[in-house]
Amino acid sequence: MAISLEGKTLADRIKEEVRQKTARYRETLGKVPGLVAVLVGDNKASQVYVRSKQKACQDLGLFSEVHAYAGDISQVMLLGKIEELNRRDEVDGILVQLPLPSQIDPFAVICALSPEKDVDGLHPFSLGTILANKPGFRPCTPLGVVEMLREYKIPIEGRDVVVIGRSLLVGKSLAAMLTNENGTVTTCHSRTRDLDKVCSRADILVAAMGKEAFVKPEFVKPGAAVIDVGINSVSDPARVKAYFGDDEKRQKDLQTKGYTLVGDVHPAAFERAGAMTPVPRGVGPLTIAMLMKNTLTAFERRRAGS
């Protein structure tokens, strides 16, 4: 049975560090880190994510705003709003919640951000600093994964690492970050041949493709560390039973919420792995914690010497 790599305790410690430093800056400088979230349209999941980020800011003492715009806003107008935020001195970090409506090019919007306020780590400059292995902002979820591996003293150097998924938000960025940590990294995707065989040689296996329970136990090398980045809602009772058996908590989720959560890794992989992140409570809590830490870092780089 795998060790459960819980993310909440580490996330709570990171957030407490942010809270304490923010309180000190309030006392010594009369200023605190500021984060603005830009939300376009009425995507329900995006609204939930933004509310959770705003709540985290409030809990930790950061200044925060949410700028919500109708889904039919033009790209030109949205880029103008981004430029206004770039110029505001009290704003240290800008988060553009994705996805954006079809009339807006997300790459153009990300490129419009000031790199020094790119706390999501998606600006081409930020991504370039990863490839150059230089200081810069890292995307929050990959940063949380690396912090978790360090926290649990899971060595990366010299290990075979497989990352399934090639998104900028997670897969590509994380593969580069783990390479910088001297891992031997293979990036897999939907066109990878013999995926199960490629994965089964990994000492560290990261699943980040957004496909419910896609990674089966036979994909996992016995004793490997498995990092499950996926979060998928499952409401079909038969599928829930197939994944979790008669687990009382999952049955209660179905009864009270109408769904339960499963990652990109089949839960049965816990029986084969040496260590594995649960879903929920694994990588998820770290994403917001790293966003708060990135916002604090942006503040310190821009203002702490003032």
Side-chain angles (χ1 to χ4, degrees), residues 97-117:
Q97 184 65 47
L98 302 176
L100 293 169
S102 58
Q103 78 275 13
I104 297 175
D105 177 7
F107 184 71
V109 174
I110 297 301
C111 287
L113 294 173
S114 169
E116 66 180 4
K117 298 187 178 186

Side-chain angles (χ1 to χ4, degrees), residues 220-248:
V220 178
K221 178 181 179 179
V226 179
I227 308 297
D228 191 350
V229 179
I231 300 178
N232 308 283
S233 296
V234 186
S235 56
D236 177 48
R239 297 213 311 275
V240 172
K241 185 174 180 60
Y243 298 148
F244 300 105
D246 295 320
D247 185 287
E248 291 182 2

